């Protein structure tokens, strides 16, 4: 893949950060505003949406000071769709991505070796919403044929999961029209304007849609039970993934990252949604503090407590992707190379 000019990438990052409330504070390389400190190993991590609850551990680790505690100087950047974040990783512009694990399989099929080093979630945390206007015509994924369905980006994990829900319920992937609408206010606006019949999104967008009575929940994959019902098993999603070659060459730094993230996951499991919300940037609660707390509460079941990959998770992800993805259907994927538990099992 051609390497993007650094000036273009830098301009893109700046534009994205200006468009996302709270991003400028979190990307500060010296930890300004987050209790961090200058110096230490400098790491750039692209997050598939800093204010999404599914990726909450990234910002929370920064806010709790756990990166700095490990002597790490972590810069969190934001990209609203995971597929673009993956492109930045492969291009070498960032050292890691907090995004969906399924991209590691997709990349291996394309000849790129990337692995999850900390598994943050055991379920997608995604919700398929149907608009109020389309609710009478869409009562299950079996009704997806001919419908315009919102996804964060084409080729993103929301695109993958939408196609799988269609195929699993008897609808050909090609009979669904995915529409890239991002998340947050752009997703909400697409529902309001009727440019999509429904779509896949996460909290806090889900909470905002329901509070404004713009749509209803069709498929809820925020809990293990919901993931098993919709996908046939646990579907490990949010993770810290990195190029395997970089991991092998920087094991000490990767261990520090694992230590920081695992400490955050343990902290989350011991604190209430209100306490978690209190540590996050105030402007992430765009629908109000009470709604943000509810969004966190609804999504907490998705997170692991120790960063370890669920035993049967990779197999479920592989089966899901093979159902509709022609490249993966015909590729030989070595699942053992798509993740490692070595660092999280040593985490202190």
């Amino acid at each position: 893949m051609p390497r993007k000019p650094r000036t273009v990438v830098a301009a893109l990052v700046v534009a994205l950060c200006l468009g996302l409330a709270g991003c400028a504070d979190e990307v500060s390389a010296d930890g300004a505003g987050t209790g961090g400190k200058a110096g230490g190993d400098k790491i750039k991590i692209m997050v598939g949406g800093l204010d999404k609850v599914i990726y909450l551990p990234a910002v929370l680790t920064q806010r709790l000071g756990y990166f700095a505690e490990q002597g790490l100087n972590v810069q969190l950047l934001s990209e609203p769709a995971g597929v673009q974040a993956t492109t930045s990783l492969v291009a070498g512009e960032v050292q890691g991505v907090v995004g969906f694990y399924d991209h590691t399989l997709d990349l291996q099929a394309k000849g790129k070796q990337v692995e999850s080093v900390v598994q943050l979630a055991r379920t997608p945390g995604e919700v398929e919403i149907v608009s109020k206007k389309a609710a009478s015509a869409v009562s299950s994924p079996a009704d997806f044929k001919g419908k315009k369905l919102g996804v964060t980006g084409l080729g993103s994990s929301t695109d993958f999961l939408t196609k799988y829900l269609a195929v699993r319920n008897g609808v050909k992937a090609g009979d669904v029209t995915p529409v890239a609408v991002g998340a947050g206010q752009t997703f909400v606006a697409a529902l309001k304007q009727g440019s999509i019949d429904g779509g896949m999104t996460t909290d806090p967008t889900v909470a905002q849609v329901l509070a404004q009575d713009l749509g209803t929940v069709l498929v809820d994959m925020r809990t293990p039970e919901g993931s098993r019902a919709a996908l046939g098993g646990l579907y490990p999603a949010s993770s810290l993934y990195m190029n395997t070659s970089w991991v092998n060459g920087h094991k000490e730094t990767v261990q520090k990252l694992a230590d920081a993230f695992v400490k955050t996951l343990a902290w989350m499991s011991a604190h209430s949604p209100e306490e978690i919300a209190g540590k996050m940037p105030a402007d992430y609660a765009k629908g109000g503090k009470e709604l943000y707390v509810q969004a966190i509460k609804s999504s907490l079941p998705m997170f692991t407590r120790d960063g370890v990959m669920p035993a049967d998770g990779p197999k479920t992800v592989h089966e899901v992707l093979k159902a509709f993805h022609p490249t993966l259907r015909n590729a030989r994927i070595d699942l053992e190379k798509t993740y490692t538990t070595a660092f999280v099992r040593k985490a202190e």
Side-chain angles (χ1 to χ4, degrees), residues 2-81:
R3 185 182 178 90
K4 293 183 180 180
R6 291 184 178 275
T7 53
V8 174
V9 173
L12 176 60
V13 168
V14 170
L16 288 167
C17 287
L18 289 174
L20 177 64
C23 182
D25 180 50
E26 295 306 328
V27 299
S28 178
D30 63 1
T34 64
K37 59 185 179 182
D41 299 338
K42 293 185 178 181
I43 305 294
K44 289 183 180 180
I45 297 177
M46 186 72 81
V47 183
L50 280 171
D51 59 349
K52 294 180 182 178
V53 176
I54 59 171
Y55 300 138
L56 179 149
V59 176
L60 184 59
T61 303
Q62 187 91 293
R63 304 284 288 190
L64 291 171
Y66 292 162
F67 288 137
E69 184 178 275
Q70 293 293 328
L72 298 173
N73 188 350
V74 174
Q75 184 178 11
L76 298 178
L77 305 172
S78 188
E79 170 58 65

Side-chain angles (χ1 to χ4, degrees), residues 130-286:
V130 60
S131 72
K132 283 286 187 177
K133 184 177 180 180
S136 61
V138 184
S139 59
S140 81
D143 300 319
F144 279 1
K145 184 176 181 179
K147 300 299 185 294
K148 295 178 291 184
L149 301 174
V151 297
T152 53
L154 302 183
S156 66
S157 295
T158 51
D159 190 13
F160 290 165
L161 289 172
T162 299
K163 288 175 179 175
Y164 177 71
L165 289 178
V167 170
R168 193 176 193 218
N169 287 273
V171 179
K172 294 180 180 178
D175 287 339
V176 176
T177 303
V179 182
V181 295
Q185 294 310 304
T186 53
F187 183 95
V188 172
L191 273 183
K192 284 183 177 178
Q193 296 164 5
S195 54
I196 57 175
D197 299 302
M200 191 170 291
T201 191
T202 60
D203 278 310
T205 308
V206 175
Q208 293 170 28
V209 168
L210 298 180
Q212 296 178 48
D213 198 29
L214 298 174
T216 58
V217 172
L218 190 68
V219 180
D220 192 338
M221 295 176 282
R222 290 176 291 188
T223 66
E225 296 76 20
S227 178
R228 291 187 180 101
L231 306 174
L234 291 180
Y235 191 97
S238 302
S239 66
L240 170 64
Y241 61 83
M242 314 178 88
N243 286 310
T244 298
S245 59
W246 198 91
V247 172
N248 291 338
H250 301 81
K251 291 185 177 180
E252 184 177 344
T253 299
V254 177
Q255 187 62 61
K256 291 177 181 178
L257 286 167
D259 289 350
F261 273 109
V262 170
K263 188 171 182 178
T264 296
L265 291 169
W267 187 94
M268 289 171 61
S269 70
H271 290 78
S272 69
E274 290 81 5
E275 290 172 313
I276 295 171
K279 292 292 185 180
M280 300 298 287
D283 55 6
Y284 281 19
K286 297 178 179 66

